[in-house]
Amino acid sequence: MTPLQVLEFFVRHTAFKSTKNISAIANTDPGNLHSCLAGKRALPVHIAQRVAAAVGLVASIEDGQLSLDVASGSIITLEVDTTELINLSGALASLAPETNYFWRLLVSQEEPVRKGVFAIAITSYKDSYFVINLSCESTDEAYRALEGELPDHLPGKRLPQEPDQFVYSTNNAT
């Protein structure tokens, strides 16, 4: 994914904030932001930096190209539908191509909800965290995701879910 596509993905999937809210935080027009993220208009660097900051990223220009990284000490919370797991994987791989993520998957022991968030995936990156609220349209879709799509599409490894195996240190991923 290009940095512009990654930024668009994060803006579209940032949990608890709409594109309109992110525009207000970044002090830019929502329609203009939408056009820029869709590639219909050029995205000025100063707007890219403010929008990136609003979603927990840092934007810079390297060799005349937009570059993104995760802001130090941030917790980035996204809500991603199971149908977009491949895009999530692409966005994370574009941000940090050499990173091997270690995921902790939190799933309710009860029946998944019929529609909405059914699990939370958490991983660290440097001194920051990604918290991914995984949503679905049906219980069957949630089961399919848990059984096959999540392991196939989340980059990195899934850590065990048993409570006695939880690790709270960012220095040790096991």
Side-chain angles (χ1 to χ4, degrees), residues 69-110:
D69 198 1
V70 177
S72 179
S74 63
I75 299 173
I76 298 174
T77 306
L78 304 174
E79 184 167 332
V80 179
D81 190 85
T82 56
T83 59
E84 291 204 77
L85 287 173
I86 291 174
N87 295 333
L88 171 65
S89 179
L92 294 176
S94 294
L95 276 175
E98 302 298 319
T99 300
N100 192 13
Y101 295 101
F102 293 92
W103 294 95
R104 178 75 65 197
L105 186 64
L106 306 173
V107 182
S108 172
Q109 295 300 317
E110 299 172 9

Side-chain angles (χ1 to χ4, degrees), residues 33-80:
L33 177 60
H34 179 73
S35 294
C36 291
L37 293 174
K40 296 177 183 176
R41 290 187 187 158
L43 181 63
V45 176
H46 69 283
I47 292 178
Q49 290 172 323
R50 292 192 313 235
V51 171
V55 297
L57 301 174
V58 175
S60 59
I61 297 294
E62 293 179 12
D63 299 324
Q65 298 293 321
L66 179 65
S67 175
L68 296 173
D69 198 1
V70 177
S72 179
S74 63
I75 299 173
I76 298 174
T77 306
L78 304 174
E79 184 167 332
V80 179

Side-chain angles (χ1 to χ4, degrees), residues 115-172:
K115 182 177 180 177
V117 174
F118 68 93
I120 299 171
I122 302 170
T123 191
S124 63
Y125 172 71
K126 296 181 183 176
D127 66 343
S128 298
Y129 292 90
F130 288 105
V131 178
I132 312 297
N133 295 321
L134 299 163
S135 64
C136 63
E137 290 295 320
S138 69
T139 303
D140 289 339
E141 190 177 307
Y143 282 124
R144 273 195 308 277
L146 290 171
E147 292 171 3
E149 294 171 8
L150 283 174
D152 292 343
H153 297 306
L154 279 181
K157 299 177 183 178
R158 271 176 59 182
L159 297 174
Q161 289 179 238
E162 289 76 27
D164 61 331
Q165 294 177 328
F166 274 51
V167 174
Y168 298 98
S169 170
T170 59
N171 297 326
N172 181 354

